[in-house]
Amino acid sequence: MAEKLFLEVVTPQKAVVSEEVEIVVAPGSEGEFGALKGHTTFLTSLKMGTLRYKDVNGKERLLFINGGFAEVLPDKVTILAESAERRKDIDVTRAREAKERAEKRLADKAADLDFIRAEAALRRAIDRIKIAGTK
Ligand code: ATP
């Protein structure tokens, strides 16, 4: 069995994950990276996307994370994210509504449209729907 490392995922609101895991794969801003026990220490910012890890039973778990930072130590990975939701906690109806709102804003092209903001909201919603639907 693989050696374990400790994973903590924290948002400004709460601790989302705090458990031993076998491997963590995270969306670093310089590209996706994986961390196993004994990994070299490093610090990186994160993109919005999917954080994956294998729990102690070898089961793959998925989380949506909305950017942040990761600190990787040989025996611990700490993720500080703007927001993070476990797959089972994603409210798909809410994400679909957010997607529709963002799509409408982008299609309407109002004079005061904040394109970057609407596009980011759309990408968050699409990612949440995708993660929630992953088996
Ligand atoms: P919305 O427009 O529905 O608020 P958003 O993408 O603007 O979506 P965020 O700013 O990313 O929302 O998140 C605000 C808070 O709401 C965070 O705590 C986040 O975890 C939670 N959240 C947002 N969307 C969902 C969802 N679909 N399911 C569960 N939690 C969500």
Side-chain angles (χ1 to χ4, degrees):
M1 204 185 253
E3 280 197 82
K4 310 289 187 292
L5 71 164
F6 203 79
L7 172 65
E8 280 205 88
V9 180
V10 184
T11 74
Q13 283 84 34
K14 59 180 175 179
V16 181
V17 178
S18 183
E19 65 186 72
E20 284 202 305
V21 303
E22 288 186 0
I23 183 171
V24 181
V25 180
S29 47
E30 304 296 319
E32 193 172 67
F33 66 87
L36 290 161
K37 171 128 179 165
H39 200 293
T40 313
T41 297
F42 73 99
L43 194 63
T44 182
S45 53
L46 298 169
K47 292 190 286 203
M48 180 209 70
T50 307
L51 180 96
R52 293 184 280 136
Y53 67 92
K54 243 185 212 173
D55 70 16
V56 288
N57 300 312
K59 185 159 171 39
E60 183 170 68
R61 305 275 178 190
L62 301 183
L63 263 89
F64 169 80
I65 58 164
N66 188 17
F69 292 91
E71 179 193 50
V72 178
L73 301 175
D75 59 355
K76 184 173 182 187
V77 175
T78 306
I79 307 281
L80 306 174
E82 293 278 322
S83 61
E85 297 118 46
R86 288 175 182 269
R87 190 167 63 96
K88 65 176 170 55
D89 294 328
I90 294 175
D91 179 340
V92 179
T93 304
R94 176 174 169 176
R96 287 211 184 99
E97 286 169 1
K99 178 170 175 277
E100 273 166 30
R101 267 197 315 276
E103 282 171 342
K104 186 165 184 318
R105 282 209 179 94
L106 291 164
D108 287 352
K109 294 198 184 82
D112 61 350
L113 171 68
D114 182 339
F115 181 82
I116 305 271
R117 184 174 164 188
E119 219 224 349
L122 178 61
R123 288 194 297 116
R124 286 196 298 278
I126 289 172
D127 258 41
R128 284 181 170 120
I129 293 165
K130 193 176 80 193
I131 293 169
T134 306
K135 285 281 167 284

PDB file of all heavy atoms in Angstrom, residues 13 64 66 82-85 89-92 94-95 98 101 121 124-125 128, ligand 1:
ATOM      1  N   GLN A  13     -14.301  30.173   4.430  1.00  0.00           N
ATOM      2  CA  GLN A  13     -15.488  29.801   5.223  1.00  0.00           C
ATOM      3  C   GLN A  13     -15.272  28.573   6.104  1.00  0.00           C
ATOM      4  O   GLN A  13     -15.789  28.513   7.200  1.00  0.00           O
ATOM      5  CB  GLN A  13     -16.693  29.498   4.317  1.00  0.00           C
ATOM      6  CG  GLN A  13     -17.405  30.712   3.744  1.00  0.00           C
ATOM      7  CD  GLN A  13     -16.723  31.211   2.491  1.00  0.00           C
ATOM      8  OE1 GLN A  13     -16.196  30.412   1.716  1.00  0.00           O
ATOM      9  NE2 GLN A  13     -16.692  32.519   2.301  1.00  0.00           N
ATOM     10  N   PHE A  64     -14.278  20.632  -6.647  1.00  0.00           N
ATOM     11  CA  PHE A  64     -14.141  21.838  -7.450  1.00  0.00           C
ATOM     12  C   PHE A  64     -13.386  22.839  -6.599  1.00  0.00           C
ATOM     13  O   PHE A  64     -13.737  23.042  -5.424  1.00  0.00           O
ATOM     14  CB  PHE A  64     -15.528  22.408  -7.804  1.00  0.00           C
ATOM     15  CG  PHE A  64     -15.442  23.785  -8.392  1.00  0.00           C
ATOM     16  CD1 PHE A  64     -15.105  23.962  -9.718  1.00  0.00           C
ATOM     17  CD2 PHE A  64     -15.666  24.904  -7.606  1.00  0.00           C
ATOM     18  CE1 PHE A  64     -14.995  25.236 -10.260  1.00  0.00           C
ATOM     19  CE2 PHE A  64     -15.567  26.184  -8.136  1.00  0.00           C
ATOM     20  CZ  PHE A  64     -15.235  26.339  -9.463  1.00  0.00           C
ATOM     21  N   ASN A  66     -11.886  26.917  -6.638  1.00  0.00           N
ATOM     22  CA  ASN A  66     -11.883  28.177  -7.375  1.00  0.00           C
ATOM     23  C   ASN A  66     -10.598  28.935  -7.080  1.00  0.00           C
ATOM     24  O   ASN A  66     -10.590  29.913  -6.330  1.00  0.00           O
ATOM     25  CB  ASN A  66     -13.122  28.990  -6.968  1.00  0.00           C
ATOM     26  CG  ASN A  66     -13.271  30.226  -7.832  1.00  0.00           C
ATOM     27  OD1 ASN A  66     -12.671  30.319  -8.899  1.00  0.00           O
ATOM     28  ND2 ASN A  66     -14.057  31.186  -7.372  1.00  0.00           N
ATOM     29  N   GLU A  82     -10.258  29.889  -2.769  1.00  0.00           N
ATOM     30  CA  GLU A  82     -11.334  30.897  -2.664  1.00  0.00           C
ATOM     31  C   GLU A  82     -12.633  30.211  -2.278  1.00  0.00           C
ATOM     32  O   GLU A  82     -13.382  30.685  -1.439  1.00  0.00           O
ATOM     33  CB  GLU A  82     -11.555  31.555  -4.027  1.00  0.00           C
ATOM     34  CG  GLU A  82     -10.427  32.398  -4.522  1.00  0.00           C
ATOM     35  CD  GLU A  82     -10.475  33.767  -3.907  1.00  0.00           C
ATOM     36  OE1 GLU A  82     -11.587  34.293  -3.742  1.00  0.00           O
ATOM     37  OE2 GLU A  82      -9.405  34.286  -3.575  1.00  0.00           O
ATOM     38  N   SER A  83     -12.905  29.125  -2.965  1.00  0.00           N
ATOM     39  CA  SER A  83     -14.039  28.282  -2.591  1.00  0.00           C
ATOM     40  C   SER A  83     -13.709  26.867  -3.034  1.00  0.00           C
ATOM     41  O   SER A  83     -12.884  26.657  -3.935  1.00  0.00           O
ATOM     42  CB  SER A  83     -15.361  28.787  -3.194  1.00  0.00           C
ATOM     43  OG  SER A  83     -15.308  28.780  -4.580  1.00  0.00           O
ATOM     44  N   ALA A  84     -14.304  25.901  -2.386  1.00  0.00           N
ATOM     45  CA  ALA A  84     -14.056  24.497  -2.706  1.00  0.00           C
ATOM     46  C   ALA A  84     -15.291  23.700  -2.329  1.00  0.00           C
ATOM     47  O   ALA A  84     -15.881  23.935  -1.279  1.00  0.00           O
ATOM     48  CB  ALA A  84     -12.841  23.983  -1.924  1.00  0.00           C
ATOM     49  N   GLU A  85     -15.676  22.822  -3.216  1.00  0.00           N
ATOM     50  CA  GLU A  85     -16.837  21.970  -2.915  1.00  0.00           C
ATOM     51  C   GLU A  85     -16.509  20.532  -3.292  1.00  0.00           C
ATOM     52  O   GLU A  85     -16.011  20.277  -4.387  1.00  0.00           O
ATOM     53  CB  GLU A  85     -18.063  22.392  -3.739  1.00  0.00           C
ATOM     54  CG  GLU A  85     -18.563  23.787  -3.444  1.00  0.00           C
ATOM     55  CD  GLU A  85     -18.473  24.658  -4.676  1.00  0.00           C
ATOM     56  OE1 GLU A  85     -18.877  24.216  -5.763  1.00  0.00           O
ATOM     57  OE2 GLU A  85     -17.970  25.796  -4.559  1.00  0.00           O
ATOM     58  N   ASP A  89     -21.311  17.847  -2.749  1.00  0.00           N
ATOM     59  CA  ASP A  89     -21.875  19.085  -2.197  1.00  0.00           C
ATOM     60  C   ASP A  89     -22.207  20.110  -3.274  1.00  0.00           C
ATOM     61  O   ASP A  89     -22.703  21.204  -2.970  1.00  0.00           O
ATOM     62  CB  ASP A  89     -20.904  19.709  -1.179  1.00  0.00           C
ATOM     63  CG  ASP A  89     -20.741  18.829   0.042  1.00  0.00           C
ATOM     64  OD1 ASP A  89     -21.715  18.140   0.411  1.00  0.00           O
ATOM     65  OD2 ASP A  89     -19.634  18.810   0.618  1.00  0.00           O
ATOM     66  N   ILE A  90     -21.902  19.776  -4.523  1.00  0.00           N
ATOM     67  CA  ILE A  90     -22.199  20.730  -5.598  1.00  0.00           C
ATOM     68  C   ILE A  90     -23.696  20.729  -5.870  1.00  0.00           C
ATOM     69  O   ILE A  90     -24.307  19.680  -6.072  1.00  0.00           O
ATOM     70  CB  ILE A  90     -21.403  20.379  -6.879  1.00  0.00           C
ATOM     71  CG1 ILE A  90     -19.911  20.581  -6.619  1.00  0.00           C
ATOM     72  CG2 ILE A  90     -21.881  21.229  -8.058  1.00  0.00           C
ATOM     73  CD1 ILE A  90     -19.013  20.146  -7.758  1.00  0.00           C
ATOM     74  N   ASP A  91     -24.273  21.917  -5.833  1.00  0.00           N
ATOM     75  CA  ASP A  91     -25.692  22.091  -6.123  1.00  0.00           C
ATOM     76  C   ASP A  91     -25.806  22.314  -7.645  1.00  0.00           C
ATOM     77  O   ASP A  91     -25.490  23.394  -8.148  1.00  0.00           O
ATOM     78  CB  ASP A  91     -26.192  23.299  -5.324  1.00  0.00           C
ATOM     79  CG  ASP A  91     -27.657  23.598  -5.569  1.00  0.00           C
ATOM     80  OD1 ASP A  91     -28.210  23.163  -6.596  1.00  0.00           O
ATOM     81  OD2 ASP A  91     -28.237  24.311  -4.732  1.00  0.00           O
ATOM     82  N   VAL A  92     -26.218  21.267  -8.348  1.00  0.00           N
ATOM     83  CA  VAL A  92     -26.206  21.320  -9.814  1.00  0.00           C
ATOM     84  C   VAL A  92     -27.242  22.318 -10.339  1.00  0.00           C
ATOM     85  O   VAL A  92     -26.983  23.037 -11.318  1.00  0.00           O
ATOM     86  CB  VAL A  92     -26.446  19.916 -10.423  1.00  0.00           C
ATOM     87  CG1 VAL A  92     -26.462  19.968 -11.934  1.00  0.00           C
ATOM     88  CG2 VAL A  92     -25.354  18.965  -9.969  1.00  0.00           C
ATOM     89  N   ARG A  94     -28.184  25.050  -8.902  1.00  0.00           N
ATOM     90  CA  ARG A  94     -27.580  26.379  -8.739  1.00  0.00           C
ATOM     91  C   ARG A  94     -26.533  26.642  -9.818  1.00  0.00           C
ATOM     92  O   ARG A  94     -26.482  27.738 -10.398  1.00  0.00           O
ATOM     93  CB  ARG A  94     -26.947  26.470  -7.347  1.00  0.00           C
ATOM     94  CG  ARG A  94     -26.218  27.774  -7.128  1.00  0.00           C
ATOM     95  CD  ARG A  94     -25.741  27.875  -5.700  1.00  0.00           C
ATOM     96  NE  ARG A  94     -24.824  29.006  -5.561  1.00  0.00           N
ATOM     97  CZ  ARG A  94     -24.304  29.408  -4.421  1.00  0.00           C
ATOM     98  NH1 ARG A  94     -24.607  28.771  -3.309  1.00  0.00           N
ATOM     99  NH2 ARG A  94     -23.483  30.444  -4.370  1.00  0.00           N
ATOM    100  N   ALA A  95     -25.713  25.652 -10.108  1.00  0.00           N
ATOM    101  CA  ALA A  95     -24.674  25.825 -11.134  1.00  0.00           C
ATOM    102  C   ALA A  95     -25.306  26.034 -12.512  1.00  0.00           C
ATOM    103  O   ALA A  95     -24.836  26.857 -13.299  1.00  0.00           O
ATOM    104  CB  ALA A  95     -23.742  24.622 -11.136  1.00  0.00           C
ATOM    105  N   ALA A  98     -26.516  29.539 -12.646  1.00  0.00           N
ATOM    106  CA  ALA A  98     -25.373  30.458 -12.802  1.00  0.00           C
ATOM    107  C   ALA A  98     -24.885  30.438 -14.250  1.00  0.00           C
ATOM    108  O   ALA A  98     -24.533  31.475 -14.820  1.00  0.00           O
ATOM    109  CB  ALA A  98     -24.254  30.048 -11.846  1.00  0.00           C
ATOM    110  N   ARG A 101     -27.365  32.383 -16.427  1.00  0.00           N
ATOM    111  CA  ARG A 101     -27.197  33.834 -16.194  1.00  0.00           C
ATOM    112  C   ARG A 101     -25.983  34.350 -16.949  1.00  0.00           C
ATOM    113  O   ARG A 101     -26.048  35.374 -17.631  1.00  0.00           O
ATOM    114  CB  ARG A 101     -26.978  34.098 -14.705  1.00  0.00           C
ATOM    115  CG  ARG A 101     -28.224  34.400 -13.917  1.00  0.00           C
ATOM    116  CD  ARG A 101     -27.931  35.046 -12.579  1.00  0.00           C
ATOM    117  NE  ARG A 101     -26.862  34.439 -11.810  1.00  0.00           N
ATOM    118  CZ  ARG A 101     -27.009  33.378 -11.008  1.00  0.00           C
ATOM    119  NH1 ARG A 101     -28.181  32.790 -10.888  1.00  0.00           N
ATOM    120  NH2 ARG A 101     -25.982  32.913 -10.326  1.00  0.00           N
ATOM    121  N   ALA A 121     -17.567  33.424 -14.383  1.00  0.00           N
ATOM    122  CA  ALA A 121     -18.751  32.797 -13.768  1.00  0.00           C
ATOM    123  C   ALA A 121     -19.204  31.611 -14.614  1.00  0.00           C
ATOM    124  O   ALA A 121     -19.575  30.555 -14.092  1.00  0.00           O
ATOM    125  CB  ALA A 121     -19.874  33.825 -13.630  1.00  0.00           C
ATOM    126  N   ARG A 124     -16.807  28.693 -14.083  1.00  0.00           N
ATOM    127  CA  ARG A 124     -17.040  28.048 -12.772  1.00  0.00           C
ATOM    128  C   ARG A 124     -18.244  27.120 -12.858  1.00  0.00           C
ATOM    129  O   ARG A 124     -18.206  25.975 -12.393  1.00  0.00           O
ATOM    130  CB  ARG A 124     -17.294  29.088 -11.674  1.00  0.00           C
ATOM    131  CG  ARG A 124     -16.077  29.845 -11.227  1.00  0.00           C
ATOM    132  CD  ARG A 124     -16.320  30.561  -9.911  1.00  0.00           C
ATOM    133  NE  ARG A 124     -17.362  31.569  -9.940  1.00  0.00           N
ATOM    134  CZ  ARG A 124     -17.221  32.807 -10.367  1.00  0.00           C
ATOM    135  NH1 ARG A 124     -16.062  33.237 -10.826  1.00  0.00           N
ATOM    136  NH2 ARG A 124     -18.233  33.660 -10.330  1.00  0.00           N
ATOM    137  N   ALA A 125     -19.317  27.632 -13.459  1.00  0.00           N
ATOM    138  CA  ALA A 125     -20.554  26.839 -13.532  1.00  0.00           C
ATOM    139  C   ALA A 125     -20.334  25.576 -14.368  1.00  0.00           C
ATOM    140  O   ALA A 125     -20.755  24.483 -13.978  1.00  0.00           O
ATOM    141  CB  ALA A 125     -21.672  27.696 -14.125  1.00  0.00           C
ATOM    142  N   ARG A 128     -18.293  23.080 -12.387  1.00  0.00           N
ATOM    143  CA  ARG A 128     -19.077  22.453 -11.304  1.00  0.00           C
ATOM    144  C   ARG A 128     -20.010  21.380 -11.870  1.00  0.00           C
ATOM    145  O   ARG A 128     -20.113  20.285 -11.303  1.00  0.00           O
ATOM    146  CB  ARG A 128     -19.889  23.510 -10.557  1.00  0.00           C
ATOM    147  CG  ARG A 128     -19.045  24.341  -9.618  1.00  0.00           C
ATOM    148  CD  ARG A 128     -19.886  25.356  -8.868  1.00  0.00           C
ATOM    149  NE  ARG A 128     -19.126  25.976  -7.802  1.00  0.00           N
ATOM    150  CZ  ARG A 128     -18.887  27.302  -7.712  1.00  0.00           C
ATOM    151  NH1 ARG A 128     -19.378  28.136  -8.612  1.00  0.00           N
ATOM    152  NH2 ARG A 128     -18.187  27.773  -6.704  1.00  0.00           N
TER     153      ARG A 128
HETATM  154  P1  ATP B   1     -23.415  31.676  -7.891  1.00  0.00           P
HETATM  155  O1  ATP B   1     -23.652  32.698  -8.958  1.00  0.00           O
HETATM  156  O2  ATP B   1     -24.392  30.536  -7.945  1.00  0.00           O
HETATM  157  O3  ATP B   1     -23.241  32.268  -6.505  1.00  0.00           O
HETATM  158  P2  ATP B   1     -20.558  31.635  -8.154  1.00  0.00           P
HETATM  159  O4  ATP B   1     -19.693  30.867  -9.110  1.00  0.00           O
HETATM  160  O5  ATP B   1     -20.572  33.102  -8.349  1.00  0.00           O
HETATM  161  O6  ATP B   1     -22.016  30.990  -8.235  1.00  0.00           O
HETATM  162  P3  ATP B   1     -18.714  31.501  -5.995  1.00  0.00           P
HETATM  163  O7  ATP B   1     -18.417  32.954  -5.835  1.00  0.00           O
HETATM  164  O8  ATP B   1     -17.705  30.651  -6.718  1.00  0.00           O
HETATM  165  O9  ATP B   1     -20.158  31.295  -6.662  1.00  0.00           O
HETATM  166  O10 ATP B   1     -18.960  30.823  -4.563  1.00  0.00           O
HETATM  167  C1  ATP B   1     -19.665  31.485  -3.510  1.00  0.00           C
HETATM  168  C2  ATP B   1     -19.962  30.434  -2.433  1.00  0.00           C
HETATM  169  O11 ATP B   1     -21.034  29.581  -2.892  1.00  0.00           O
HETATM  170  C3  ATP B   1     -18.811  29.505  -2.123  1.00  0.00           C
HETATM  171  O12 ATP B   1     -18.860  29.170  -0.759  1.00  0.00           O
HETATM  172  C4  ATP B   1     -19.084  28.273  -2.983  1.00  0.00           C
HETATM  173  O13 ATP B   1     -18.524  27.098  -2.407  1.00  0.00           O
HETATM  174  C5  ATP B   1     -20.605  28.234  -2.976  1.00  0.00           C
HETATM  175  N1  ATP B   1     -21.176  27.713  -4.240  1.00  0.00           N
HETATM  176  C6  ATP B   1     -21.282  28.378  -5.408  1.00  0.00           C
HETATM  177  N2  ATP B   1     -21.904  27.636  -6.350  1.00  0.00           N
HETATM  178  C7  ATP B   1     -22.175  26.446  -5.751  1.00  0.00           C
HETATM  179  C8  ATP B   1     -22.805  25.237  -6.196  1.00  0.00           C
HETATM  180  N3  ATP B   1     -23.276  25.110  -7.445  1.00  0.00           N
HETATM  181  N4  ATP B   1     -22.919  24.231  -5.316  1.00  0.00           N
HETATM  182  C9  ATP B   1     -22.468  24.337  -4.054  1.00  0.00           C
HETATM  183  N5  ATP B   1     -21.857  25.457  -3.566  1.00  0.00           N
HETATM  184  C10 ATP B   1     -21.718  26.491  -4.396  1.00  0.00           C
END
